[in-house]
Amino acid sequence: MSNLITCRTCRKPVSANAEFCPHCGEREPSQFVFRSSAIIITVLFLILVIYGIFVLVIR
Ligand SMILES: [Zn+2]
């Protein structure tokens, strides 16, 4: 199983499991896919929305 992703540095196809890009040697070329801050903001927003729905339903 080897999903291909795009290297964040050289934009060439790299195995998603690769620790190093075989083309340019970038470490963890798949890391660009997820930006942790964006994920945290999204999760917090979802929690607020779900909490708001629960409050409305309970009332
Ligand atoms: Zn690369």
Side-chain angles (χ1 to χ4, degrees), residues 7-12 14 21-26 29:
C7 174
R8 60 180 171 179
T9 302
C10 66
R11 305 297 179 188
K12 289 178 182 176
V14 185
C21 173
H23 306 288
C24 68
E26 178 66 40

Side-chain angles (χ1 to χ4, degrees), residues 1-2 5 8 13 15-16 21 31 33 42 45 47 49-51 53-54:
M1 294 298 172
S2 60
I5 51 93
R8 60 180 171 179
S15 168
C21 173
Q31 286 298 304
V33 175
T42 303
F45 180 76
I47 289 173
V49 170
I50 292 171
Y51 178 76
I53 291 173
F54 268 108

